[in-house]
Amino acid sequence: MEGLYLLCSIITTTVTSIALSLLLPLQYLYNFFLLRSISRKKQVEEEDHQQEPVIFLYEGSVWHERRRPVHHSFRYSARYALLDLDRAPNSLPSSFFSNHLSAHEAREITSTTGTVFLLTIPPSVGYEQNPLSVYYCYELEGSATRLTKCIAEVTNTPWGERVSFVFNPDSDLVAKPLHVSPFMDMLGNWSMRANVPGDNLFIAISVQHPKLGDYFTATLNAKRISSGALNPALFFWLMPHKVALWIYWQALKLWWKNVRFVQHPRYMNPTYRDEASMRNRKLQCCPMVVQDENNHLKFDESYSPLVGENGSRDRWCVWRDAQWPWA
């Protein structure tokens, strides 16, 4: 049933995307001729008020490397948008924002007071695919702001489950909370870090496993590009589709390399989320350095200093269940 649904979903997405892609030139002409004067007027007003843009465009590459039990690496080009959630552009559908946190919600979760930016791949021609979105939450310090917290929003494919959690952008260690790949088990932790988005943007995640060590790394490196003459709808055209194709293609290559297939933990261990939460609490309460027999694994002492009602450190973490028929 699940395989049939996946096939139908692929066919439906393909037909919808082709139809909406054919409408893109008409939309572009409409925006160019009829809304050009409005855009110019708005641009002049923004320049008069010296406002920052509400959307920044980034172009770069995503790199994955698996070192054990077999070596497997790949790189693909990627385009991202960094959105000012307090002044979110109306060019994106309302359904997109209803599917993500608002600036107010992100500030409440992280106890920050400044601007909130969302790094994400916007939906394109009716389809959205975001393995990782990141909220950058700034703290007001007088007339300046400082990045103090981030919220990671990780979504797995094809199930569409999501986990959102707070992490320290300088460096943090999080107990793995989500089954993101059928070729990885639920053991180990995610070591994460991110820079302050500027002309360059960087995010790194490495998997630290009790048996395989530091065996997997994923990075995003991107540069900000000028968005003045670019149409976001054209800039991100089929970008989510390309990400999905890369995910399935690399899964097929891992299967071809005889990497062990790992069943979704909900079938074998329905309490895996509770176990991840418990391991996360232990990481935050008892940070330490641990190495396996091959000296592969090294935990740092970074953790998010969020304090729960009982006085113990606790990290905000929320799961979103898979939709039918994956549920």
Side-chain angles (χ1 to χ4, degrees), residues 7 31 33 56 71 74 99 105 128 199 242 259 292 303:
L7 178 61
N31 292 335
F33 289 108
F56 298 95
H71 185 268
F74 63 91
N99 198 32
E105 290 170 331
E128 181 180 352
D199 292 336
K242 295 175 184 177
V259 178
D292 66 4
Y303 55 89

Side-chain angles (χ1 to χ4, degrees), residues 5-279:
Y5 173 81
L6 180 59
L7 178 61
C8 293
S9 177
I10 292 173
I11 295 174
T12 302
T13 300
T14 301
V15 173
T16 302
S17 298
I18 291 174
L20 293 177
S21 294
L22 294 175
L23 294 176
L24 273 181
L26 297 178
Q27 179 185 357
Y28 177 78
L29 292 174
Y30 173 80
N31 292 335
F32 183 80
F33 289 108
L34 297 183
L35 300 181
R36 193 176 184 183
S37 59
I38 299 177
S39 300
R40 284 181 175 178
K41 182 179 179 182
K42 185 177 180 181
Q43 182 179 2
V44 170
E45 290 177 353
E46 288 182 351
E47 290 176 353
D48 291 340
H49 291 84
Q50 295 183 343
Q51 291 182 342
E52 287 290 327
V54 298
I55 178 172
F56 298 95
L57 303 182
Y58 284 85
E59 188 168 23
S61 63
V62 173
W63 176 71
H64 286 204
E65 182 183 25
R66 175 192 293 260
R67 290 172 285 277
R68 284 174 290 274
V70 300
H71 185 268
H72 181 75
S73 64
F74 63 91
R75 186 187 305 271
Y76 65 88
S77 59
R79 292 177 173 181
Y80 278 81
L82 186 69
L83 309 173
D84 183 343
L85 288 184
D86 288 297
R87 301 183 295 127
N90 55 16
S91 58
L92 293 175
S94 58
S95 58
F96 172 81
F97 294 103
S98 64
N99 198 32
H100 298 274
L101 297 172
S102 66
H104 175 71
E105 290 170 331
R107 278 190 285 265
E108 283 195 335
I109 292 166
T110 57
S111 299
T112 54
T113 59
T115 309
V116 177
F117 290 93
L118 170 61
L119 180 71
T120 190
I121 300 175
S124 173
V125 288
Y127 183 64
E128 181 180 352
Q129 175 68 253
N130 261 306
L132 174 66
S133 295
V134 177
Y135 300 81
Y136 297 85
C137 304
Y138 289 77
E139 180 69 25
L140 286 174
E141 296 181 346
S143 59
T145 60
R146 181 171 63 93
L147 178 64
T148 58
K149 288 287 182 292
C150 287
I151 301 175
E153 197 174 71
V154 183
T155 306
N156 59 13
T157 302
W159 305 279
E161 296 172 306
R162 177 179 294 172
V163 65
S164 304
F165 57 88
V166 177
F167 71 95
N168 181 351
D170 294 330
S171 179
D172 214 337
L173 195 65
V174 182
K176 183 181 179 180
L178 187 68
H179 184 64
V180 294
S181 168
F183 299 98
M184 293 182 178
D185 58 32
M186 285 296 295
L187 299 178
N189 308 289
W190 291 343
S191 177
M192 306 183 65
R193 58 191 176 94
N195 71 338
V196 178
D199 292 336
N200 295 284
L201 185 145
F202 175 78
I203 299 174
I205 303 174
S206 62
V207 179
Q208 300 178 341
H209 194 276
K211 294 181 179 180
L212 299 175
D214 191 357
Y215 80 108
F216 178 85
T217 301
T219 63
L220 166 64
N221 280 283
K223 290 185 177 182
R224 183 188 296 178
I225 64 175
S226 175
S227 58
L230 291 175
N231 184 328
L234 297 178
F235 182 73
F236 291 107
W237 181 61
L238 296 184
M239 190 66 239
H241 306 68
K242 295 175 184 177
V243 173
L245 284 174
W246 269 106
I247 291 174
Y248 289 117
W249 175 241
Q250 297 304 324
L252 181 62
K253 293 176 73 173
L254 287 171
W255 172 79
W256 184 258
K257 291 182 177 182
N258 291 320
V259 178
R260 184 173 69 93
F261 184 88
V262 179
Q263 188 68 268
H264 195 294
R266 68 167 177 250
Y267 298 118
M268 307 297 295
N269 182 19
T271 62
Y272 72 95
R273 293 180 179 179
D274 295 331
E275 292 181 1
S277 296
M278 182 64 68
R279 289 190 291 112

Side-chain angles (χ1 to χ4, degrees), residues 1-2 5-6 266-267 323-327:
M1 180 64 184
E2 292 180 353
Y5 173 81
L6 180 59
R266 68 167 177 250
Y267 298 118
Q323 303 299 312
W324 181 90
W326 311 111

